[in-house]
Amino acid sequence: MKQIPLGVRLQDRTIFTSFLPGDNGLALASLQRMATGFTDRVYLHGPAGSGKSHLLQALCAAVGGSAYFPLGQLLASGPEVLDGADQLSAVALDDVHLVIGDEAWERRLFNFYNDCESRGTRLAMAAALPAVGLGIQLPDLRSRLSSMTHFALRVLDESQQREALQLRAAQRGLELPDETVRYLQRRFARDMSTMQALLDRLDAASLAEQRRITVPFIRQVTGDPT
């Protein structure tokens, strides 16, 4: 029996209830259904910050005996990093586009897809583009990935992003007033990855100093003179 890989540690609080769907409700519902045992093959695609990684990690957080593989971080480990993963209950492969064009990786993904299908392993993938736009060289792999249920994810608009940040703050026991979130959106990059990392930083500083997250406190923590 092959050794089962553990994948990569999930980010804190990256769960379904901390995901604000916005226009991505169908993708959320599909992965929630998969978490209950439905064995469809789900493929997410969309720009950075649209929530692909969050949903994949939320799936793994909800399913015992699962693993999350951000392939961009695992390139140096080679395709062998997936050996034995088909024995898990669910597998999530992120940043699939970063390994496309490599013959060894494409062959491994093709075999891995087939192994998961034969074992009934739940499989979700995410990439920047739909499968037909990835430039996959191996025809059989292109056929397999194209057959997966595709969902195009959209980035949250400004008001949805404020709601998402306030939701994540509330789950941490923090109050994040509208004026505070608007300040963050004006002064920092508006992609959700940047905003969530900044919220993590402010959360730690707020806990250490026992202070509320206000605009003056943000200026102090970030060194923003304005």
Side-chain angles (χ1 to χ4, degrees):
M1 180 177 177
K2 296 179 181 178
Q3 182 178 357
I4 299 177
L6 298 178
V8 173
R9 183 177 179 180
L10 305 179
Q11 296 179 14
D12 187 31
R13 299 181 178 86
T14 310
I15 54 180
F16 288 131
T17 56
S18 66
F19 182 81
L20 185 80
D23 298 323
N24 303 316
L26 290 177
L28 171 62
S30 181
L31 287 181
Q32 287 176 318
R33 185 182 179 195
M34 182 182 285
T36 66
F38 186 67
T39 57
D40 194 8
R41 307 284 181 258
V42 173
Y43 183 107
L44 309 175
H45 62 94
S50 57
K52 302 185 300 294
S53 298
H54 188 139
L55 284 176
L56 292 185
Q57 292 190 44
L59 171 68
C60 292
V63 179
S66 62
Y68 168 72
F69 294 89
L71 299 186
Q73 298 179 33
L74 299 171
L75 282 173
S77 300
E80 296 77 19
V81 73
L82 297 179
D83 288 356
D86 57 287
Q87 300 173 39
L88 299 168
S89 298
V91 178
L93 305 182
D94 206 351
D95 296 326
V96 172
H97 57 282
L98 296 180
V99 302
I100 296 302
D102 183 298
E103 182 180 357
W105 268 104
E106 288 198 9
R107 178 63 60 181
R108 185 68 190 93
L109 288 177
F110 170 69
N111 290 329
F112 184 71
Y113 183 101
N114 291 337
D115 291 341
C116 287
E117 189 169 50
S118 65
R119 288 180 176 273
T121 301
R122 286 164 276 182
L123 178 62
M125 296 186 184
L129 299 169
V132 294
L134 288 183
I136 300 171
Q137 301 301 306
L138 184 64
D140 287 337
L141 175 63
R142 185 167 58 249
S143 174
R144 296 295 191 279
L145 299 196
S146 297
S147 72
M148 299 175 76
T149 303
H150 277 50
F151 293 97
L153 268 60
R154 298 181 180 179
V155 175
L156 299 177
D157 64 28
E158 189 172 312
S159 63
Q160 291 170 337
Q161 186 185 75
R162 285 198 297 273
E163 188 178 350
L165 289 171
Q166 288 171 327
L167 172 62
R168 290 179 70 91
Q171 291 184 329
R172 297 165 179 259
L174 300 173
E175 181 184 358
L176 206 60
D178 282 347
E179 65 176 19
T180 303
V181 183
R182 291 179 189 277
Y183 174 82
L184 293 174
Q185 290 178 313
R186 289 195 305 269
R187 300 300 300 174
F188 301 94
R190 293 188 180 184
D191 66 280
M192 281 302 296
S193 296
T194 297
M195 286 293 178
Q196 289 171 5
L198 183 56
L199 182 59
D200 290 342
R201 181 180 173 189
L202 293 171
D203 182 16
S206 173
L207 182 62
E209 299 192 26
Q210 293 296 299
R211 291 180 58 185
R212 295 173 59 246
I213 299 180
T214 61
V215 170
F217 181 68
I218 295 171
R219 289 174 178 163
Q220 174 189 319
V221 173
T222 62
D224 185 353
T226 61

